[in-house]
């Protein structure tokens, strides 16, 4: 599975530690909080690929967190799996009607939860489920570190490869320069924002050869996105 970002909202310290261990072993980036209000802030600051949400957490109930996540533009389509000891049918229905994609009753097997998360991601984010990423006429072999466009090999430097990989994992998403620095270079990087523009130009030069359409769209005052609305 390609690297995915998970937001874990769980106030049981022992269970949270166990889940973090299992999902990091599966190469997930895991952010954890015990607080519903903080969960909303974390989701706004760095949109996760999936949310594991306990029903009973501090400050806000999991149901209310789920409801608000569905109202926020950035997280409206992010898959949410509810974790709860409430196993009654009425509770399960309520959770699903609020916007949860799946519902797991405690106690549960961490291995089963890992499998459920994988199934949800394969359904809503196919790019996170395999070793090949693709968009339009671009294909990336994430294991072999090879990129092709319309069948022709595209030579990329390591930074341009990571940048394109990030775009391919989030097609259509608009990323600011700050977000790209955090995701591609790392949050502790001291690199200047203009460095992002330099590598975007290099990436464009590499993939837009032989009259190929530019599918990296510049969004004024916002950042960059990979989509078919790029400049021809």
């Amino acid at each position: 599975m390609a690297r995915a970002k998970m937001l874990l909202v769980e106030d049981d310290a022992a269970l949270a530690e166990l889940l973090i261990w299992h999902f990091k072993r599966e190469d997930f980036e895991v952010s954890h909080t015990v607080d519903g209000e903080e969960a909303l802030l974390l989701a706004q600051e760095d949109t996760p690929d999936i949310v594991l949400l306990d029903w009973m957490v501090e400050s806000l109930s999991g149901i209310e967190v789920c409801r608000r996540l569905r109202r926020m533009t950035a997280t409206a389509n992010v898959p949410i799996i509810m974790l709860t000891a409430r196993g009654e049918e009425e509770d399960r229905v309520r959770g699903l009607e609020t916007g949860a994609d799946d519902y797991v009753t405690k106690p549960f097997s961490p291995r089963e939860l890992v499998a459920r998360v994988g199934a949800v991601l394969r359904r809503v984010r196919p790019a996170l489920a395999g070793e090949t990423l693709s968009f339009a006429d671009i294909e990336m072999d994430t294991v072999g570190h090879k990129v092709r466009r319309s069948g022709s090999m595209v030579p990329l430097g390591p930074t341009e490869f990571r940048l394109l990989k990030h775009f391919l994992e989030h097609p259509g998403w608009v990323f600011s320069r700050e977000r790209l620095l955090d995701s591609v270079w790392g949050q502790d990087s001291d690199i200047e924002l203009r460095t992002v523009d330099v590598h975007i130009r290099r990436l464009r030069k590499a993939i837009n050869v032989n009259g190929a359409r530019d599918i990296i769209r510049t969004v004024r005052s916002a950042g960059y996105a990979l989509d078919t609305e790029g400049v021809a």
Side-chain angles (χ1 to χ4, degrees):
M1 179 181 289
R3 197 162 178 80
K5 292 183 292 185
M6 169 181 289
L7 174 58
L8 172 63
V9 189
E10 172 60 64
D11 62 356
D12 183 324
L15 177 58
E17 183 178 358
L18 180 64
L19 293 178
I20 290 170
W21 184 85
H22 275 278
F23 281 101
K24 283 190 173 182
R25 189 177 67 169
E26 296 297 323
D27 204 28
F28 279 77
E29 295 179 25
V30 184
S31 298
H32 171 238
T33 179
V34 302
D35 185 275
E37 291 280 7
E38 185 179 19
L40 295 173
L41 292 175
L42 290 173
Q44 286 180 310
E45 292 172 358
D46 191 9
T47 305
D49 295 304
I50 191 164
V51 177
L52 293 187
L53 177 60
D54 186 23
W55 186 300
M56 301 298 293
V57 289
E58 298 175 13
S59 75
L60 282 179
S61 70
I63 283 290
E64 183 58 27
V65 173
C66 182
R67 183 178 293 112
R68 296 190 189 186
L69 287 173
R70 286 290 172 252
R71 291 174 180 171
M72 291 161 50
T73 301
T75 56
N77 297 313
V78 171
I80 299 172
I81 296 180
M82 296 288 296
L83 308 177
T84 178
R86 305 167 69 115
E88 292 78 9
E89 180 181 358
E90 181 179 345
D91 293 324
R92 292 197 300 272
V93 170
R94 184 182 174 196
L96 295 171
E97 288 181 344
T98 302
D101 295 270
D102 201 355
Y103 191 103
V104 179
T105 304
K106 299 177 182 178
F108 54 79
S109 160
R111 291 182 59 192
E112 178 185 354
L113 183 59
V114 169
R116 286 191 182 223
V117 167
V120 170
L121 287 176
R122 281 192 294 273
R123 185 168 67 248
V124 301
R125 292 279 307 283
L128 291 170
E131 299 173 346
T132 301
L133 304 177
S134 63
F135 180 80
D137 57 351
I138 293 179
E139 292 185 353
M140 171 181 283
D141 176 354
T142 62
V143 176
H145 276 242
K146 297 177 182 178
V147 175
R148 290 182 173 81
R149 184 160 194 185
S150 297
S152 298
M153 192 70 72
V154 177
L156 292 178
T159 302
E160 287 72 40
F161 184 91
R162 293 197 305 272
L163 189 58
L164 179 59
K165 180 175 182 287
H166 185 69
F167 280 130
L168 288 170
E169 289 175 343
H170 307 85
W173 290 29
V174 179
F175 291 100
S176 66
R177 291 165 178 82
E178 291 86 354
R179 288 285 302 279
L180 289 172
L181 274 179
D182 286 346
S183 300
V184 178
W185 280 266
Q187 294 183 352
D188 297 328
S189 175
D190 294 327
I191 296 175
E192 297 181 0
L193 287 178
R194 61 183 179 181
T195 300
V196 175
D197 300 322
V198 171
H199 286 281
I200 289 287
R201 287 197 296 270
R202 291 180 180 175
L203 178 59
R204 277 180 164 144
K205 183 177 180 180
I207 65 176
N208 299 331
V209 294
N210 300 323
R213 185 178 186 181
D214 184 2
I215 59 173
I216 299 177
R217 178 165 59 100
T218 300
V219 183
R220 184 172 297 179
S221 301
Y224 299 100
L226 182 71
D227 65 29
T228 53
E229 299 301 318
V231 178

